[in-house]
Amino acid sequence: MLPLRLTLKLIYAYRCDCMRLLFTCSELGLGHVSRIIPLGKRLEQDGCEIFFLSGGKAYDLLKKEFEHTYKCMPIVWYENASGIVVPASMINILLPLPVFNAENHQFETKNSNTMEIIHRSYNILEKVRDISPDVLIADGDITALRIAAKRKIPSVYITNFLRPNYGIMHFFNFGKSIVDQYVKQATKIVIPDNPPPYTISDYNIGNLHGSAFEDKIEYVGPFMDTTPIQGLAEHIFAPISGPIGTRLKILKTLLPVLQRTSIKTIISLGAPGKKASTKFGNCEIHNWLSTAERQEAMKNAKYVIFSGGHITCFETIKYTKPSICIPTQPEQGGNAAKMQDLGCSIKVKNQKELANAIQKMEQNLHTYKKNVFNLNKFSSKLNGLDRTVEIIKKTV
């Protein structure tokens, strides 16, 4: 007969390999789904039974990768042809608003966030009852946390946005009231970022001292492997992402400035479909690049111009590339400000500032490169994916 301690250890090991895990994923940008796909793949390889619940484009991406993927009501900011409109998004929390869909070229009515949350809650509750997960993992989806708590299901919350203290979001900070009530119900909170003082999402995480969930938080490091990859310095690389209005807005900022420079530039519009390319002066414009092509363009860039998304920030760190950020929404602004404070990037708002930033980057490229290299040395010591897998398996 096996000793009790060994028996319990074997039961625990068996349970870890056979865990039923339900992932819910926010649709506020595709950074959430981009990081839970490798996490889900890893846990699936470890023998866990994986289920996903999301909406919008996040659902489409998850459905391509995982068999058990289900739709739920998406919760999204108010967006028009210019991207996210913060004041309208605040109003839209309670009231439905008309919006022009730039992709369908027609006006629609966007439901209030309150109605979206209610609808989503029923969707999640239904799947929780059907699946009976051992652990619920929510990436940016606070709605799922309350349901998990009520059903007494352990939960892991993955986020890089808690109590924003930068820019306009500081004035619309619900973190100390409504959001806190949801977040504190998580069993564990994972921040896929460097620990302070090198946290890229520092200004979006905010001051957590004294919060009800301070002792639940762990900075695990980035989910991507940031082992440095060295390349050439042949061009500027500008990967553009987001809704069609946001992409056009960035392109209108980039093209007039970059066409006047003598530096070769590769621009990716992030619009999957039939591949098409064109040239404007020294600018190569591609409607989209494959993963391998994007990696090659990033590897051989002198520096990168992008909007400040969290995932792309760590891509620039992986390839040790200085950057210029043109934020199109508050969260990106916070990331860009932190990267600038770390001496790795320059944050700009318009064509004039972009032209000045390019000149400054060209004159001080060695210094910016050195700062990114030092940040890479710190980041590459961490493996956020491995650590998060450990946390999930222990959250039973």
Side-chain angles (χ1 to χ4, degrees), residues 249-321:
K249 184 178 179 181
I250 296 177
L251 191 61
K252 288 177 182 177
T253 303
L254 286 174
L255 273 182
V257 177
L258 293 173
Q259 285 183 93
R260 296 196 299 264
T261 71
S262 60
I263 310 166
K264 178 184 175 182
T265 301
I266 297 176
I267 299 174
S268 171
L269 298 178
K274 186 177 179 180
K275 294 194 71 171
S277 303
T278 189
K279 285 196 74 173
F280 284 91
N282 291 313
C283 300
E284 289 182 11
I285 304 177
H286 307 270
N287 65 326
W288 69 282
L289 296 174
S290 68
T291 301
E293 289 169 335
R294 178 189 169 94
Q295 290 172 346
E296 191 70 12
M298 182 76 75
K299 183 179 77 172
N300 293 321
K302 290 177 71 175
Y303 48 93
V304 179
I305 302 176
F306 71 114
S307 60
H310 193 246
I311 299 292
T312 311
C313 283
F314 275 102
E315 279 188 281
T316 65
I317 293 168
K318 175 183 179 68
Y319 291 95
T320 61
K321 302 299 179 181

Side-chain angles (χ1 to χ4, degrees), residues 326-337:
I326 312 173
T328 61
Q329 47 103 332
E331 183 182 351
Q332 294 171 351
N335 295 333

Side-chain angles (χ1 to χ4, degrees), residues 26-35 57-58 61 311:
S26 169
E27 301 81 14
L28 295 173
L30 296 180
H32 300 280
V33 68
S34 296
R35 65 189 177 208
K57 292 182 180 179
L61 291 171
I311 299 292

